[in-house]
């Protein structure tokens, strides 16, 4: 890796991956990543893992590192306590400074957000929300962050007012790889099948359990193509999510933050309900959020 002196370093540290960015006055100077996510590290392994990735960017003095994500979870490097909503998505004054053995590091963790009623938490998404609001000044509406645990977030006056989490991505992974449905789920996509399943669950969400098993039965009896089964499973689950979160998106401006393909799928689903969602780039939102977090007020 080429040595690039960084003014500060932005870190997105999730369960399975570590991503770091050397930042300067003009923005991103360099980036690096590894598979040393939170889930594979003990408490004493975080600092060495970070140094393996960012050492070429460190100068002789102290470099500020701003990290978000699961690195601040209870199982992470150090637990960064949640901040209760309603609140700003990130607050430079709330960063948690952690002790390091290497004097060149000044590591600060971005706390996640919590909600008491109904109980909910997020960690990492708050930084993307802050980045999105830096992109969309004066945005009042709803941000959807699709993924393993999709977040629907109501924002107003620059604050997170409330949010709602759906385990749609995790359910899709479990059902498609560990349930009886795994025998009929394959790669590929069938947009018409997705839209039909989406509409079916949105109109009658109580039928979800039986509609899921019909994927297996139709595969056995009628040779349902694996790509069609995959699209239908996605449509059924996203339809369930949209039915559960209707109070959030109905009649509201909506922006999506996530992987491009998944965001496009959610945008297509919302379009059927008359909602034209704006898609924002996830990495850029994360970096803008970390930049907002590291600004000294």
């Amino acid at each position: 890796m080429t040595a690039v002196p960084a003014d500060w370093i932005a870190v997105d540290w999730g369960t399975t991956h570590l991503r770091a960015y050397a930042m300067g006055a003009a923005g991103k100077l360099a980036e690096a990543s590894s598979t040393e996510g939170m889930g594979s590290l003990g408490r004493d392994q975080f600092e060495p893992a970070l140094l393996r990735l960012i050492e070429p960017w460190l100068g002789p003095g102290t470099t500020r590192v701003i990290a978000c994500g699961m690195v601040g979870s209870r199982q992470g490097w150090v637990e960064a306590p949640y901040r209760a909503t309603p609140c700003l998505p990130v607050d430079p004054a709330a960063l948690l400074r952690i002790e390091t053995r290497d004097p060149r590091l000044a590591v600060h963790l971005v706390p996640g957000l919590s909600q008491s009623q109904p109980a909910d938490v997020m960690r990492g998404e708050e930084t993307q929300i802050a980045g999105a609001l830096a992109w969309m000044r004066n945005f009042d509406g709803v941000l959807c962050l699709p993924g393993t645990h999709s977040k629907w977030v109501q924002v107003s006056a620059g604050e997170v007012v409330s949010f709602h989490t759906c385990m749609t991505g995790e359910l899709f992974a479990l059902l498609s790889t560990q349930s009886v449905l795994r025998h009929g789920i394959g790669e590929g996509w069938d947009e018409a099948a997705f839209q039909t399943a989406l509409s079916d669950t949105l109109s009658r969400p109580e039928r979800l359990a039986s509609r899921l098993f019909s994927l297996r039965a139709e595969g056995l009896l009628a040779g349902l193509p694996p790509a069609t089964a995959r699209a239908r499973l996605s449509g059924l689950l996203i339809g369930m999510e949209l039915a559960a979160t209707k109070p959030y998106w109905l009649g509201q401006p909506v922006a999506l933050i996530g992987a491009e393909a998944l965001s496009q799928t959610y945008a297509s689903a919302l379009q059927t309900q008359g909602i034209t969602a704006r898609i924002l780039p996830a990495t850029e939102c994360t970096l803008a959020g970390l930049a907002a977090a590291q600004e000294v007020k």
Side-chain angles (χ1 to χ4, degrees):
M1 185 190 303
T2 305
V4 179
D7 291 347
W8 65 283
I9 296 171
V11 173
D12 180 8
W13 207 330
T15 302
T16 59
H17 286 83
L18 163 60
R19 297 176 177 89
Y21 307 86
M23 305 297 291
K28 181 175 66 174
L29 304 174
E31 62 183 278
S33 64
S34 77
T35 57
E36 292 189 283
M38 177 277 296
S40 65
L41 300 173
R43 286 281 168 88
D44 61 346
Q45 297 175 309
F46 281 88
E47 184 174 339
L50 180 62
L51 284 170
R52 280 192 287 273
L53 208 59
I54 70 169
E55 191 150 20
W57 306 337
L58 299 177
T62 300
T63 300
R64 202 162 191 238
V65 179
I66 310 297
C68 68
M70 295 305 290
V71 64
S73 70
R74 189 164 296 175
Q75 295 76 34
W77 191 346
V78 175
E79 183 176 9
Y82 293 108
R83 297 168 53 234
T85 55
C87 63
L88 295 171
V90 299
D91 179 1
L95 296 180
L96 178 67
R97 173 74 183 268
I98 61 177
E99 294 184 6
T100 58
R101 289 185 290 272
D102 194 314
R104 295 174 299 172
L105 297 175
V107 179
H108 298 76
L109 303 184
V110 179
L113 304 184
S114 67
Q115 175 179 279
S116 58
Q117 291 295 330
D120 212 332
V121 294
M122 69 169 71
R123 196 176 288 281
E125 293 90 353
E126 76 294 320
T127 304
Q128 291 186 320
I129 293 166
L133 295 181
W135 280 48
M136 304 185 299
R137 300 289 182 181
N138 303 315
F139 176 80
D140 273 26
V142 172
L143 295 173
C144 173
L145 297 89
T148 303
H149 299 154
S150 298
K151 307 287 183 183
W152 291 82
V153 185
Q154 179 190 7
V155 296
S156 181
E159 291 191 337
V160 173
V161 177
S162 67
F163 61 99
H164 188 81
T165 302
C166 297
M167 293 177 60
T168 309
E170 185 168 357
L171 287 172
F172 181 88
L174 291 169
L175 289 169
S176 62
T177 64
Q178 297 187 43
S179 79
V180 68
L181 300 184
R182 71 186 186 278
H183 302 296
I185 303 292
E187 296 302 317
W189 192 254
D190 183 332
E191 182 64 22
F194 170 78
Q195 294 291 349
T196 298
L198 176 80
S199 177
D200 187 19
T201 313
L202 262 169
S203 59
R204 299 295 298 272
E206 72 276 10
R207 293 181 176 179
L208 177 65
S210 63
R211 288 291 188 261
L212 288 173
F213 189 75
S214 72
L215 297 177
R216 175 58 175 162
E218 194 171 335
L220 291 170
L221 299 176
L224 183 68
T228 299
R230 182 182 189 85
R232 277 175 55 179
L233 175 59
S234 180
L236 290 171
L237 295 177
I238 292 178
M240 175 191 66
E241 179 178 332
L242 292 187
T245 58
K246 194 171 184 178
Y248 274 79
W249 53 261
L250 185 63
Q252 295 293 318
V254 177
L256 293 156
I257 309 169
E260 178 69 21
L262 186 58
S263 292
Q264 290 288 355
T265 298
Y266 272 71
S268 174
L270 286 165
Q271 189 65 59
T272 68
Q273 305 304 305
I275 304 296
T276 300
R278 179 178 177 180
I279 297 177
L280 302 177
T283 299
E284 284 75 4
C285 283
T286 299
L287 290 178
L290 287 167
Q294 74 92 28
E295 292 175 357
V296 179
K297 302 296 184 183

